[in-house]
Amino acid sequence: MDFASFVGIITGLFLIVSAIFLGSSDMSIFVNIPGMMIVIGGTIAATLVTFQFKDTVSALRASVIIFTQDKQNPQAMIATMLQLTKVARREGLIALSRVEADSPFLKRALAMASDASDETYIRNTLQADIDSLKMRHYVVQDVFKKMGTYAPAFGMLGTLIGLIQMLSQLDDPETIGPSMAVALLTTFYGSLLATVFFSRLQVS
């Protein structure tokens, strides 16, 4: 994960928590287990209905990589490719098989080049790998895009449930304020998940 994204997420959470703390010393009023169950459980359930189970699991696994793996530097990749051309000119294509590479994609390309494979075969094989990778990334991004849509929707659903429960107790005016606060918490949870986390995951 690049440093700017890390700083952005931490800063956003810090400012939200700070605003909550400054407005009220009692942080427990922002914790509501049924509301969390509605938003988180509902979002996961709707996602499982929309996507295959393996796609959802793959997306959740990819989220760990997104938050732990550094982004590739295009300039560093260009420098690597220029270095490989120098090796090929000086020592021949066979020397490419001895080059250390972190990228599995680059390793495969170097192996085919060192074996003197046909240029069309190499191009088609690598293009197929690229297309397959793009499709996997598209599915992962689509999962988080849908989750970013579902979370606020279930937050609003939780708010409606809370309002119904509140209206059923109008004979006790003292419960209206606390009940309204609990009802609005689900909207808060849904918006927080969508804006701070899911929006970051769907563009990575």
Side-chain angles (χ1 to χ4, degrees):
M1 183 180 183
D2 62 296
F3 183 71
S5 297
F6 177 78
V7 171
I9 291 176
I10 296 300
T11 302
L13 290 176
F14 174 76
L15 292 174
I16 292 172
V17 173
S18 298
I20 291 173
F21 184 77
L22 291 174
S24 173
S25 59
D26 185 10
M27 298 287 290
S28 63
I29 64 174
F30 284 89
V31 178
N32 183 256
I33 301 302
M36 293 181 181
M37 292 171 61
I38 291 173
V39 175
I40 298 176
T43 299
I44 293 175
T47 303
L48 289 174
V49 171
T50 306
F51 298 94
Q52 295 183 10
F53 181 77
K54 63 181 182 66
D55 292 334
T56 305
V57 172
S58 297
L60 295 177
R61 289 177 179 171
S63 66
V64 177
I65 298 176
I66 292 171
F67 282 106
T68 56
Q69 191 177 64
D70 292 333
K71 289 185 177 180
Q72 289 187 346
N73 186 349
Q75 296 301 322
M77 180 59 68
I78 292 173
T80 299
M81 299 308 295
L82 291 175
Q83 187 64 32
L84 291 175
T85 59
K86 293 178 182 179
V87 172
R89 283 200 303 267
R90 288 198 308 262
E91 306 176 35
L93 291 177
I94 193 64
L96 295 177
S97 62
R98 300 191 296 270
V99 175
E100 296 291 336
D102 296 329
S103 169
F105 179 82
L106 183 57
K107 282 183 179 179
R108 185 172 187 181
L110 294 176
M112 289 188 293
S114 64
D115 290 340
S117 299
D118 180 69
E119 178 182 350
T120 302
Y121 171 77
I122 295 176
R123 184 184 300 276
N124 292 339
T125 300
L126 296 181
Q127 187 61 53
D129 288 348
I130 292 173
D131 293 340
S132 176
L133 181 62
K134 284 183 177 179
M135 182 57 64
R136 291 197 300 271
H137 285 186
Y138 172 78
V139 171
V140 168
Q141 290 178 341
D142 197 32
V143 168
F144 290 121
K145 185 181 295 184
K146 291 293 191 299
M147 293 180 79
T149 302
Y150 294 148
F154 276 97
M156 184 58 66
L157 179 62
T159 296
L160 293 176
I161 293 173
L163 289 175
I164 292 171
Q165 293 173 339
M166 182 194 72
L167 292 174
S168 67
Q169 300 175 350
L170 284 180
D171 55 336
D172 186 2
E174 293 183 356
T175 65
I176 294 178
S179 298
M180 177 64 79
V182 171
L184 293 177
L185 275 178
T186 54
T187 299
F188 170 72
Y189 294 150
S191 298
L192 181 67
L193 288 174
T195 56
V196 177
F197 294 103
F198 295 145
S199 62
R200 163 71 180 105
L201 292 169
Q202 61 186 267
V203 298
S204 299

